[in-house]
Amino acid sequence: MHAGNLRIEAKNVIVATGANREPRMPVLADQLDPAIVQLHSSEYRRPSQLREGGVLIVGAGNSGADIAMELVRERPTWLSGPDTGHVPVRIETAFARHVVFRIVRFVGLHVLTIRTPMGRKARRKFTSRGGPLVRVKPKDLSAAGVIRVPRTVGVRGGAPVLEDDGVLEVANVIWCTGFRHDLSWIDLPVFGEDGEPVHERGAATGAPGLYFVGLPFQYAAASDVLPGVGRDAAYIVKQLADRRSQPAPAMAAPST
């Protein structure tokens, strides 16, 4: 393994680079009119970063909903993407803090795992769409004047095109399209057809000694947040300890 000019050799490597490092931008972003201000959600700080005029927010998850609620106060705001569901209670209440969050934590750690049918089904949904809205509810968006529109699927005449073939003439686009983890630097046969590492609870199946921590749904829905990462890390450490305690392979006797 190389780190700058440094070459490091190790029997075991743990990749703990996290799941939210590189902003994910769709290809069609390069096709929009250059006059349109484009930001990824990770770059957005305040409304003054944008041009005067309407804004299309692509991605209807938590980041998209939060940003939409701020921007709709001063400009036309469209929120593009399917409904991802929402937490049915207000998280600011004492009931939510002391009851709901404990239930959610338990489900995320112990119910929605790769060991349960419910967890495997949830894993497929988590990888194809955003998580449920937590702070903002759909009715909050409607009441504030945010206009919900279908997915953004293309560009026509430099403007974004929606799934229903509608074209939005906007001055700004904010991409709330999530993040990706770039593992292209790993030159080992550990990736599946989808480009994701093939592993058993973080232990790479194609390269003994290579481990991952913090992958989305590595073992459970909570694997990329603190409660889940801690448990997954403890599992990997145990695998390392067990591997070290195993006797070294016997050397073949020299032929006479």
Side-chain angles (χ1 to χ4, degrees):
M1 185 172 66
H2 294 273
N5 295 325
L6 183 64
R7 177 184 173 87
I8 303 172
E9 295 187 7
K11 292 182 178 179
N12 303 287
V13 174
I14 300 176
V15 180
T17 52
N20 302 311
R21 289 180 55 84
E22 303 291 334
R24 180 185 289 116
M25 296 285 283
V27 175
L28 58 87
D30 295 332
Q31 304 168 15
L32 290 177
D33 187 327
I36 295 177
V37 173
Q38 298 188 60
L39 295 173
H40 188 268
S41 59
S42 61
E43 302 171 302
Y44 175 80
R45 298 292 180 272
R46 59 190 66 85
S48 59
Q49 292 174 271
L50 306 180
R51 284 179 53 198
E52 290 295 325
V55 56
L56 170 64
I57 300 173
V58 181
N62 285 288
S63 295
D66 286 345
I67 294 173
M69 289 295 290
E70 178 174 63
L71 292 177
V72 75
R73 301 170 189 165
E74 59 180 48
R75 66 183 71 221
T77 302
W78 290 266
L79 181 61
S80 170
D83 187 347
T84 60
H86 64 280
V87 176
V89 298
R90 293 290 177 185
I91 65 171
E92 302 86 359
T93 65
F95 176 75
R97 291 196 301 271
H98 298 296
V99 178
V100 176
F101 280 175
R102 292 186 180 185
I103 296 173
V104 171
R105 178 189 173 103
F106 179 83
V107 171
L109 280 171
H110 304 290
V111 178
L112 299 182
T113 77
I114 60 175
R115 303 298 188 201
T116 68
M118 186 184 300
R120 291 190 291 272
K121 182 178 180 181
R123 188 185 195 189
R124 291 191 293 271
K125 289 184 177 180
F126 273 55
T127 55
S128 62
R129 57 190 294 185
L133 298 181
V134 177
R135 294 170 294 276
V136 178
K137 314 303 180 193
K139 63 181 181 181
D140 299 333
L141 294 166
S142 298
V146 176
I147 305 168
R148 299 297 299 266
V149 294
R151 293 173 60 245
T152 301
V153 296
V155 176
R156 185 182 304 152
V161 176
L162 305 177
E163 198 169 32
D164 61 1
D165 206 39
V167 178
L168 287 179
E169 299 291 342
V170 293
N172 309 276
V173 174
I174 299 179
W175 300 102
C176 297
T177 43
F179 298 81
R180 63 183 179 87
H181 47 276
D182 183 7
L183 301 175
S184 60
W185 55 275
I186 301 177
D187 187 17
L188 291 169
V190 296
F191 299 101
E193 293 181 358
D194 59 357
E196 295 297 317
V198 179
H199 62 90
E200 174 61 34
R201 290 198 64 175
T205 56
L210 178 64
Y211 303 90
F212 297 92
V213 173
L215 294 177
F217 226 117
Q218 178 165 311
Y219 174 70
S223 281
D224 59 347
V225 294
L226 289 177
V229 167
R231 181 178 63 183
D232 290 347
Y235 177 84
I236 294 300
V237 169
K238 184 177 184 305
Q239 300 306 302
L240 282 168
D242 291 346
R243 192 162 185 259
R244 288 188 61 184
S245 64
Q246 293 175 357
M251 298 293 293
S255 58
T256 55

